[in-house]
């Protein structure tokens, strides 16, 4: 981590950083826009819950694989061009999704959406960290803040548009992406890059030889089973209309944003990254298990979804900060390797949640998700010696 001087802080950033951060807000609004309409899609397209949750599976699976090539693409196209390509791909596939006539067509188009998001997300994180003048930790907090704002505002807008038609949020995403494209085109300067060598497709796999990075990637794979169980399946058990689901996930996203910016840095400073991460994951697992026990109590499920945002906001900032320091490789390479493993978990979890509910009952997906999160805690604990250098580096600064 780069040392920061007393004159720099998270708000003292170059124009390029703010341009990317604003584009991140709009890009992540696109994810939340779709969440409140999942039950409506199931009803209108006569699809099962496991089929509708495939909208997250195809999205995350394509994104996981695409993460492996983001480094190779960005070193050839440049950061700005890669970001713009990702945004325009999202805009196109979101618009096509709004015209879908079947659930399988929509699932396929969501995969194309995932390709665009992979190009944007991986490049945006490395761009903000590289261009920031306030140090790695402050840059990551800014990135997580942009994600939190986008995720929190997205469901509110999605609920409003979804109350008119389930197709509305898809067209809304497309319009927002066009706005992000224009903003980034105008506001972000074309920085001159000095590239010593072009990134290889094998670089993310080579980076996983470092046990610290591999540990964090597999930890994220496991806890994302819980994350995407909550995100993709909980709308089916709350029994709310689109607008109501929008407000619930607005509360979830607001807590995620606030904790990622204001609470996570204090936890890291007071207790260290690894201990804080373990505590947040245990609390998140307990929340999922509570949802599994009291699935039929609407108030418990709604409250649990909202409070889970606090635990996930803290954990997202903590684990992203740790990833950037886990291995002596380029930040973009570390991000690609970590994201590949993380989104593999995000691809399997939504379909598994829907299928478990169909085969057993609505309680089981949350209990299984909570068990996976507890498994991630155990995995961190048995591999903690490979992560000790992260806390030592933070203590030194």
């Amino acid at each position: 981590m780069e040392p920061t001087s007393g004159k720099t802080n998270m708000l003292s950033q170059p124009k390029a950083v703010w341009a990317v951060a604003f584009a991140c807000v709009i890009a992540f609004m696109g994810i939340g826009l779709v969440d409140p309409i999942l039950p409506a899609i199931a009803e209108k397209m006569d699809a099962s819950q496991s089929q509708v949750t495939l909208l997250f599976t195809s999205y995350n699976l394509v994104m996981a694989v695409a993460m492996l090539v983001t480094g190779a693409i960005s070193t050839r196209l440049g950061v700005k061009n890669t970001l713009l390509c990702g945004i325009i791909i999202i805009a196109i596939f979101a618009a096509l999704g709004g015209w879908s006539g079947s659930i399988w067509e929509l699932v396929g188009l969501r995969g194309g959406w995932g390709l665009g998001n992979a190009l944007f997300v991986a490049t945006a994180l490395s761009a903000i960290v590289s261009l920031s003048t306030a140090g790695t930790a402050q840059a990551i907090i800014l990135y997580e803040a942009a994600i939190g704002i986008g995720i929190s505002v997205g469901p509110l807008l999605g609920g409003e548009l979804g109350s008119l038609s389930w197709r509305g949020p898809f067209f809304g995403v497309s319009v927002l992406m066009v706005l992000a494209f224009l903003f980034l085109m105008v506001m972000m300067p074309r920085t001159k890059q000095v590239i010593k060598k072009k990134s290889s497709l094998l670089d993310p796999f080579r980076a996983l030889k470092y046990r610290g990075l591999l540990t964090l990637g597999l930890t994220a794979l496991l806890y994302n089973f819980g994350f995407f169980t909550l995100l993709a399946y909980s709308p089916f058990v709350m029994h709310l209309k689109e607008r109501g689901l929008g407000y619930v996930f607005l509360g979830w996203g607001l807590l995620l944003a606030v904790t990622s910016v204001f609470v996570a840095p204090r936890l890291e400073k007071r207790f260290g990254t690894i201990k804080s991460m373990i505590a947040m994951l245990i609390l998140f697992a307990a929340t999922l298990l509570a949802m599994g026990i009291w699935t039929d109590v609407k108030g418990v499920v709604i409250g649990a979804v909202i409070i889970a945002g606090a635990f996930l906001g803290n954990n997202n900032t903590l684990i992203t900060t740790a990833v950037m320091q886990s291995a002596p490789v380029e930040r973009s390479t570390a991000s690609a390797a970590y994201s590949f493993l993380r989104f593999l978990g995000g691809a399997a979890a939504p379909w598994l949640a829907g299928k478990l509910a169909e085969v057993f009952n609505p309680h089981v997906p949350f209990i299984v998700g909570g068990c996976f999160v507890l498994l991630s805690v155990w995995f961190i604990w048995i591999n903690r010696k490979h992560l000790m250098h992260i806390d030592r580096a933070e203590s030194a600064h």
Side-chain angles (χ1 to χ4, degrees):
M1 183 185 298
E2 299 93 333
T4 59
S5 68
K7 296 182 180 180
T8 60
N9 56 60
M10 187 178 70
L11 300 179
S12 301
Q13 302 287 0
K15 183 172 65 174
V17 172
W18 287 113
V20 177
F22 180 78
C24 282
V25 171
I26 297 179
F28 280 91
M29 281 177 67
I31 297 175
L33 272 167
V34 179
D35 212 47
I37 60 171
L38 293 177
I41 292 175
E43 179 183 350
K44 298 296 184 183
M45 291 192 167
D46 194 25
S48 67
Q49 293 179 358
S50 61
Q51 288 174 332
V52 173
T53 54
L54 284 174
L55 294 175
F56 282 92
T57 294
S58 63
Y59 174 85
N60 285 323
L61 181 60
V62 172
M63 190 150 57
V65 176
M67 283 292 179
L68 298 173
V69 302
T70 54
I73 292 174
S74 64
T75 55
R76 287 160 174 81
L77 294 182
V79 171
K80 182 174 181 177
N81 287 337
T82 305
L83 291 172
L84 293 175
C85 284
I87 288 174
I88 204 65
I89 290 172
I90 295 172
I92 291 171
F93 279 95
L96 291 173
W99 294 109
S100 295
S102 71
I103 186 63
W104 298 112
E105 183 182 352
L106 190 55
V107 167
L109 291 170
R110 275 285 283 181
W113 187 337
L115 172 62
N117 217 56
L119 290 173
F120 180 84
V121 169
T123 310
L125 174 58
S126 60
I128 287 179
V129 172
S130 300
L131 296 170
S132 173
T133 57
T136 300
Q138 296 296 323
I140 290 173
I141 291 171
L142 178 62
Y143 173 77
E144 294 293 341
I147 290 176
I149 294 171
I151 286 178
S152 60
V153 176
L156 183 62
L157 185 57
E160 295 297 325
L161 293 175
S163 65
L164 302 175
S165 168
W166 70 264
R167 300 179 188 273
F170 287 91
F171 294 127
V173 169
S174 186
V175 172
L176 287 173
M177 290 299 101
V178 171
L179 291 176
F181 180 89
L182 295 174
F183 184 84
L184 207 60
M185 176 71 78
V186 174
M187 295 297 294
M188 184 178 180
R190 197 175 296 277
T191 55
K192 293 182 179 180
Q193 289 181 297
V194 179
I195 302 174
K196 296 180 180 178
K197 68 172 185 176
K198 289 185 171 69
S199 177
S200 165
L201 295 176
L202 296 177
D203 284 349
F205 293 106
R206 295 191 185 106
L208 291 175
K209 72 180 181 181
Y210 296 101
R211 290 292 296 275
L213 180 58
L214 179 62
T215 296
L216 292 172
L218 291 175
T219 296
L221 185 153
L222 293 170
Y223 99 78
N224 262 340
F225 272 85
F227 182 99
F228 280 97
T229 294
L230 182 142
L231 199 61
Y233 183 69
S234 65
F236 292 104
V237 300
M238 284 188 275
H239 305 294
L240 296 172
K241 295 294 185 181
E242 292 84 0
R243 187 172 285 132
L245 288 171
Y247 281 113
V248 171
F249 282 100
L250 170 65
W252 173 80
L254 286 175
L255 275 182
L256 187 147
V258 169
T259 54
S260 65
V261 176
F262 298 107
V263 181
R266 287 174 170 78
L267 290 174
E268 176 259 306
K269 185 176 181 180
R270 179 81 179 271
F271 303 105
T273 298
I274 308 307
K275 288 182 180 178
S276 300
M277 197 186 308
I278 288 174
M280 291 302 106
L281 289 174
I282 290 174
L283 289 172
F284 179 45
T287 303
L288 286 171
L289 292 174
M291 293 173 69
I293 295 171
W294 292 288
T295 309
D296 299 325
V297 184
K298 183 187 294 188
V300 171
V301 175
I302 292 173
V305 168
I306 294 172
I307 196 65
F311 308 138
L312 292 168
N314 282 318
N315 189 66
N316 286 349
T317 296
L318 292 166
I319 198 167
T320 304
T321 303
V323 165
M324 292 294 106
Q325 304 174 76
S326 61
V329 297
E330 293 288 334
R331 294 187 182 104
S332 58
T333 301
S335 176
Y338 162 74
S339 296
F340 168 68
L341 294 175
R342 174 171 58 138
F343 287 114
L344 283 181
W351 177 83
L352 178 63
K355 186 56 68 175
L356 287 172
E358 291 171 4
V359 174
F360 299 102
N361 58 65
H363 302 261
V364 175
F366 298 111
I367 293 173
V368 171
C371 290
F372 269 106
V373 177
L374 288 176
L375 189 60
S376 75
V377 174
W378 173 79
F379 190 74
I380 292 176
W381 182 252
I382 64 172
N383 289 282
R384 62 190 183 279
K385 67 179 180 180
H386 302 294
L387 303 173
M388 292 174 64
H389 67 284
I390 296 171
D391 280 331
R392 284 198 296 266
E394 289 164 355
S395 298
H397 292 298

